[in-house]
């Protein structure tokens, strides 16, 4: 079939004199049957397909999406990448991801614009200080970089930050992961789609899964879609906010609730913000895109919803916090505001692995913070689907932990959203 | 922001309320691991009509049941606990 031409400096130079780039992935009709079907063409689903094809030799597979690829949370998030979580299980998967980010543009031959500009998490009260210092120590044990900064050091690292004491939530210090940063969200989806398609994976857009078919033994036999039935013995559900809806088609209730989560961008300005700053206590997440816009993440609404919008007062709350932390941004105008539907688990850790239904696999519960995990999530989920056994890094994130009580409680650990 | 009709105080802005999760969950009589996991963690999380609880935290302080569509966020009714479901 032949993939798209490889990107190179020579190719760039040649096209300066004319000639189109051509399409980067195929748009095939769905076949009647596949060896495996991935539901959801977000970053996680596309990465899963790419690693199934590239590392496990499964090429007769499809990724189905009800909309366009990357149109879900992948294309709506504020792209904060870091690996300084508290528990060893989390550190293992997020650090696996950070290592994959570091070589991803080369691996995919597609510039995902991974930019390790440093992620700084602000502490505003004694509780924050203790929790973040505990993280710094835990991370050192795990071999993960994370360091404690005084307010003055934080100001040096991020000059627009106000460290004055006469505000409601003064900055008392910060935890900095220098290897953390951001990447271009669309490029991640496009890069994985292009590389998977070149290996023979069918990516079928505008194809909503409406049912999961099962045989007399209960095992998966295929999916019903708006573009006809598809036979397959393996289904991987990677549908973020819609996971509960899909799993209900197979009679499985999930420990998930779906909430709208919002983000905003400002008008573009000259480079002023050198790093990513996050503050969970005042609910503000901010970085500057390469186009110059301030990219701002807000909180979730308090009630579950699929409205993909979110209340204006939630975004206002974040803007008030940003104006206090960065007084020089007060007169910036906001250009766009949107929402995504995030799937939250009770312990705020993901669920990756097998389900009570034979042949049905699930990768979900990434909630407000799964973009950073995209490469590792796809990598360990592909191994899990291919072998039928949980990958060692995925194993602790099993669905059964809610019965056994072995939770991976990042919610109590930091209650940080991204 | 939602306008939520408290059964006792009438329509009030969402900011006065605390969301209290899925309604009508009953504590299991038999404490098997499965029953507890379901009670504590499994949720319907439907896309469409949903029965939930709210508490009028900054008002009368009382809990009540509410029926809301999770696609449109439209509330079709609220009722006092134990009263006929709306
Ligand atoms: C505003 C916002 C800010 C965020 N900020 C960050 C951040 O800074 N850092 C971070 O790490 N994470 C962040 N996140 C979280 C992150 O975006 C997600 O965890 C991650 O992108 C999930 O990727 P995914 O591929 O699983 O989901 P998605 O990209 O949502 O993909 C799921 C796909 O499934 C499809 N689908 C659903 N139902 C069906 C069906 N029935 N049939 C077929 N297809 C279906 C959808 O159309 C969708 O394309 C943020 C999220 C939001 C909304
Ligand atoms: Zn009231």
């Amino acid at each position: 079939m032949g993939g798209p031409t490889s990107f190179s400096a020579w190719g760039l130079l040649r096209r300066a004199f004319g000639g189109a780039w051509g399409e980067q992935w195929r748009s095939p009709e769905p076949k009647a049957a596949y060896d495996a079907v991935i539901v959801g063409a977000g970053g996680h689903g596309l990465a899963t397909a790419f690693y199934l094809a590239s590392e496990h030799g499964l090429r007769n597979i499809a990724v189905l999406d009800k909309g366009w690829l990357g149109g879900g949370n992948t294309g709506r998030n504020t792209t904060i990448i870091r690996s300084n979580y508290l528990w060893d299980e989390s550190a293992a998967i997020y650090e696996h991801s950070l290592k994959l980010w570091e070589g991803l543009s080369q691996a995919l031959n597609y510039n995902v614009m991974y930019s390790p500009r440093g992620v700084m998490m602000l502490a505003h009260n004694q509780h924050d200080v203790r929790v973040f210092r505990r993280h710094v120590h835990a991370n050192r044990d795990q071999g993960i970089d994370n360091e404690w900064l005084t307010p003055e050091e934080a100001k040096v690292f991020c000059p627009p930050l106000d460290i004055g004491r006469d505000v409601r939530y003064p900055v008392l210090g910060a935890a900095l992961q220098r290897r953390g940063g951001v990447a271009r969200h669309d490029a991640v989806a496009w890069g994985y789609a292009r590389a998977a398609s070149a290996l023979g994976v069918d990516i079928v857009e505008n194809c909503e899964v409406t049912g999961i078919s099962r045989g007399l033994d209960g095992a998966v036999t295929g999916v019903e879609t708006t573009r006809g039935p598809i036979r397959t013995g393996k289904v991987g559900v990677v549908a973020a906010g819609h996971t509960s809806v899909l799993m209900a088609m197979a009679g499985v209730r999930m420990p998930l609730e779906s909430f709208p989560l919002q983000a905003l961008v400002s008008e573009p300005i000259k480079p002023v913000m050198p790093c990513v700053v996050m503050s969970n206590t005042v609910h503000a997440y901010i970085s500057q895109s390469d186009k110059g816009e301030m990219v701002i993440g807000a909180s979730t609404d308090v009630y579950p919803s699929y409205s993909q919008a979110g209340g204006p007062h939630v975004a206002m709350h974040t803007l008030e916090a940003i104006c206090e932390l960065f007084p020089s941004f007060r007169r910036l105008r906001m250009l766009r505001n949107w929402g995504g539907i995030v799937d939250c688990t009770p312990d705020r850790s993901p669920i990756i692995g097998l389900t009570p239904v034979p042949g049905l696999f699930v990768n979900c519960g990434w909630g407000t913070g799964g973009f950073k995990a995209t490469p590792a999530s796809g990598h360990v989920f592909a191994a899990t689907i291919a072998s039928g056994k949980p990958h060692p890094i995925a194993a602790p994130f099993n669905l059964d932990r809610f019965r056994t009580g072995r939770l991976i409680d990042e919610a109590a650990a930091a209650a940080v959203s991204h | 922001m939602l306008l939520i009709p408290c059964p006792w105080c009438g329509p009030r802005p969402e900011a006065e309320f605390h969301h209290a999760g899925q309604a009508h969950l009953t504590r299991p009589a038999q404490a098997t691991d499965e029953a507890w996991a379901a009670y504590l963690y499994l949720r319907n999380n439907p896309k469409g009509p949903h029965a939930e609880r709210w508490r009028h935290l900054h008002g009368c302080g009382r809990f009540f049941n509410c029926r809301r569509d999770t696609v449109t966020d439209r509330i079709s009714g609220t009722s006092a606990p134990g009263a006929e479901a709306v």
Side-chain angles (χ1 to χ4, degrees):
Chain A
M1 77 201 48
T5 42
S6 168
F7 290 123
S8 65
W10 165 240
L12 194 63
L13 194 67
R14 203 155 48 87
R15 278 181 185 75
F17 300 100
W21 286 102
E23 70 172 12
Q24 298 299 314
W25 53 81
R26 298 166 296 115
S27 297
E29 285 298 315
K31 288 192 236 165
Y34 289 98
D35 295 339
V37 166
I38 304 299
V39 185
H44 289 229
L46 293 164
T48 304
F50 169 72
Y51 294 114
L52 275 172
S54 63
E55 297 203 355
H56 305 281
L58 254 78
R59 299 191 173 193
N60 180 34
I61 61 177
V63 187
L64 314 179
D65 202 287
K66 69 183 169 69
W68 64 95
L69 69 85
N73 294 345
T74 299
R76 297 165 183 272
N77 85 97
T78 52
T79 78
I80 299 174
I81 296 172
R82 60 186 184 89
S83 66
N84 51 351
Y85 282 70
L86 180 64
W87 303 109
D88 289 351
E89 294 86 349
S90 316
I93 193 161
Y94 291 108
E95 181 61 18
H96 182 39
S97 211
L98 203 60
K99 296 230 168 73
L100 288 170
W101 279 114
E102 285 163 352
L104 195 60
S105 294
Q106 282 72 26
L108 299 178
N109 179 236
Y110 201 88
N111 189 358
V112 300
M113 298 167 82
Y114 168 56
S115 162
R117 57 184 68 173
V119 173
M120 200 165 75
M121 238 186 259
L122 302 180
H124 299 279
N125 53 44
Q126 286 308 320
H127 176 73
D128 285 355
V129 172
R130 283 194 205 108
V131 168
F132 291 176
R133 297 193 91 135
R134 182 180 174 205
H135 274 67
V136 169
H137 296 310
N139 291 150
R140 187 187 300 138
D141 278 350
Q142 293 151 350
I144 291 171
D145 71 303
N146 192 13
E147 60 196 89
W148 179 254
L149 302 185
T150 63
E152 292 71 28
E153 289 166 334
K155 172 92 182 158
V156 170
F157 195 72
C158 183
L161 180 68
D162 182 9
I163 56 166
R165 307 287 299 197
D166 56 343
V167 293
R168 175 68 184 83
Y169 293 104
V171 175
L172 301 186
L176 169 65
Q177 185 173 34
R178 291 183 193 270
R179 287 159 68 235
V182 291
R184 169 102 162 87
H185 49 13
D186 292 331
V188 175
W190 298 339
Y192 273 119
R194 173 177 176 271
S197 174
L199 292 173
V201 175
D202 281 359
I203 301 166
V204 187
E205 297 171 288
N206 299 313
C207 180
E208 179 170 352
V209 171
T210 53
I212 295 176
S213 338
R214 296 163 67 183
L216 290 174
D217 59 352
V220 165
T221 57
V223 290
E224 301 291 327
T225 81
T226 48
R227 293 176 70 171
I230 298 174
R231 289 193 310 281
T232 184
K234 285 184 174 183
V235 171
V237 171
V238 202
H242 281 79
T243 304
S244 297
V245 177
L246 277 150
M247 296 300 283
M249 295 173 192
V252 181
R253 273 178 97 211
M254 296 294 287
L256 291 173
E257 285 187 303
S258 298
F259 296 92
L261 178 68
Q262 296 179 66
L264 313 79
V265 291
S266 74
E267 57 189 326
I269 54 170
K270 289 268 164 61
V272 54
M273 185 72 189
C275 61
V276 181
V277 169
M278 40 196 294
S279 164
N280 202 61
T281 300
V282 299
H283 289 300
Y285 306 85
I286 181 165
S287 66
Q288 190 169 18
S289 75
D290 294 330
K291 275 190 287 185
E293 306 149 324
M294 291 299 161
V295 180
I296 296 169
S299 312
T300 58
D301 281 287
V302 298
Y303 52 86
S305 173
Y306 290 81
S307 65
Q308 204 152 273
H313 62 291
V314 175
M316 267 316 286
H317 179 73
T318 290
L319 290 178
E320 283 160 10
I322 297 278
C323 289
E324 189 165 87
L325 288 172
F326 300 97
S328 56
F329 298 168
R330 278 188 187 157
R331 300 188 61 191
L332 275 184
R333 279 161 298 197
M334 292 297 135
L335 282 193
R336 295 189 308 276
N337 171 212
W338 64 89
I341 301 300
V342 297
D343 45 333
C344 295
T345 57
D347 62 359
R348 296 296 186 264
S349 285
I351 298 166
I352 316 166
L354 283 62
T355 71
V357 177
L360 182 63
F361 300 83
V362 72
N363 183 351
C364 66
W366 292 99
T368 59
F371 175 72
K372 64 177 70 63
T374 304
S377 159
H379 189 249
V380 301
F381 193 47
T384 304
I385 293 177
S387 69
K389 287 195 290 287
H391 182 281
I393 290 181
F397 297 96
N398 59 65
L399 180 57
D400 203 36
R401 74 176 184 271
F402 297 97
R403 190 184 59 81
T404 62
R406 287 195 63 87
L407 304 188
I408 303 165
D409 202 348
E410 292 291 342
V416 159
S417 290
H418 306 290
Chain B
M1 187 169 310
L2 302 179
L3 191 61
I4 303 175
C6 172
W8 294 280
C9 312
R12 296 292 182 93
E14 177 195 328
E16 292 184 14
F17 296 85
H18 173 79
H19 188 258
Q22 184 180 323
H24 315 306
L25 293 170
T26 28
R27 197 182 167 101
Q30 288 293 316
T32 63
D33 289 349
E34 280 70 22
W36 268 106
Y39 172 64
L40 290 175
Y41 301 125
L42 301 189
R43 296 294 178 261
N44 295 344
N45 197 23
K47 185 174 182 176
H50 182 42
E52 63 191 1
R53 291 187 318 152
W54 287 86
R55 184 178 176 211
H56 194 188
L57 187 65
H58 304 293
C60 63
R62 288 193 255 192
F63 284 88
F64 56 91
N65 294 319
C66 172
R67 204 159 174 83
R68 178 176 55 90
D69 189 301
T70 62
V71 177
T72 59
D73 286 340
R74 187 160 294 143
I75 293 172
S76 53
T78 54
S79 61
E84 189 130 341
V86 284

